[in-house]
Amino acid sequence: MWGNVAPRVVQLSPLERVRLRRVAVRYALHGWDVTPGACLARSRFVCGRAGCPTVGCHPALENWEHAASADPARVATWWRTRPHGVLLPTGRAFDVLEVPTHLGRHVLDAVRTHPAGVGVRGPVLVTPTGRWMFLVRPGDPLRPELDHCFHVVRHGPGSWIPAPPTRLPEGSVRWAVAPEQARWQLPDSYLVQNALIEALRATGVTVTSDLMPGHLPLPRRGM
């Protein structure tokens, strides 16, 4: 399957390959499903599937939603021979709120001093293309003010994100707030969405809702 693409795959040092495997297993040990990503080959990604037209970052397995696993032993096998990217399916252990850099920095500054404390602080990753991704508790849709806002993307069931230390053509994905710093806790989605709304307003973006304030969704109690 890999015979025609292996020579083009970016060569990683043995240390980098071990790091990819160890990090993927660590995610699994904390209950996060993991799936292997296609391998970087110069400026494109190759998964080894015959005729695959996708050149951007994507899952290496065709049935990745079913195959994704939090079993450390199974996860480790995926990285024994190939320098796969590390992808985390969303809508399971967590959802993700994705925003551009200017909003991400504003929200991160806001949550550091938020009166809700740890209830609004959680892992945040940054891609080399300037996308900030806030990991939050799963299951909550976007608030009405954000539902049609092109600045904010919610990743839920059926989606995935590249996780550190996955390498993209522009550089490596990194943590702005590592899971260890957040004690592997996830913040309430609506608290983070509230901070996003304030950040949008602070940067001059008008956000409105068709609902009355009393009808807006409320943050859920921590579990």
Side-chain angles (χ1 to χ4, degrees):
M1 180 174 69
W2 284 94
N4 63 330
V5 298
R8 302 200 307 268
V9 172
V10 171
Q11 295 299 310
L12 301 182
S13 70
L15 182 62
E16 288 178 296
R17 292 178 64 166
V18 168
R19 183 182 177 218
L20 280 168
R21 184 173 70 247
R22 286 180 176 173
V23 172
V25 168
R26 187 168 79 245
Y27 294 147
L29 284 169
H30 284 274
W32 291 4
D33 282 348
V34 179
T35 193
C39 298
L40 181 62
R42 296 190 179 92
S43 61
R44 59 169 291 175
F45 289 85
V46 291
C47 63
R49 301 200 305 267
C52 179
T54 306
V55 298
C57 185
H58 64 285
L61 305 177
E62 189 171 7
N63 63 336
W64 66 269
E65 287 188 78
H66 176 73
S69 175
D71 176 20
R74 184 177 186 187
V75 169
T77 63
W78 286 325
W79 275 267
R80 282 180 182 161
T81 59
R82 307 297 303 175
H84 291 292
V86 181
L87 307 186
L88 302 177
T90 56
R92 300 182 182 193
F94 53 80
D95 286 349
V96 167
L97 301 176
E98 177 185 343
V99 299
T101 296
H102 69 282
L103 283 180
R105 288 176 176 162
H106 196 291
V107 172
L108 188 57
D109 289 341
V111 300
R112 282 172 175 160
T113 57
H114 198 283
V118 296
V120 75
R121 300 170 200 163
V124 182
L125 66 81
V126 183
T127 73
T129 56
R131 303 300 295 180
W132 287 54
M133 302 188 184
F134 292 78
L135 278 63
V136 298
R137 294 177 196 162
D140 291 322
L142 289 176
R143 283 184 50 155
E145 298 96 323
L146 301 176
D147 198 24
H148 300 291
C149 177
F150 67 88
H151 293 287
V152 180
V153 177
R154 172 182 171 255
H155 294 271
S159 187
W160 52 266
I161 59 169
T166 298
R167 184 187 295 185
L168 304 180
E170 301 82 4
S172 295
V173 182
R174 64 179 178 85
W175 289 110
V177 179
E180 294 83 357
Q181 291 175 278
R183 299 182 180 180
W184 294 88
Q185 299 298 307
L186 298 169
D188 184 279
S189 176
Y190 287 135
L191 288 176
V192 177
Q193 290 187 45
N194 290 346
L196 277 171
I197 290 170
E198 292 305 315
L200 286 164
R201 289 171 175 159
T203 56
V205 177
T206 301
V207 287
T208 59
S209 171
D210 294 331
L211 299 179
M212 298 297 291
H215 295 164
L216 294 178
L218 297 175
R220 297 176 299 165
R221 293 184 181 274
M223 297 179 63

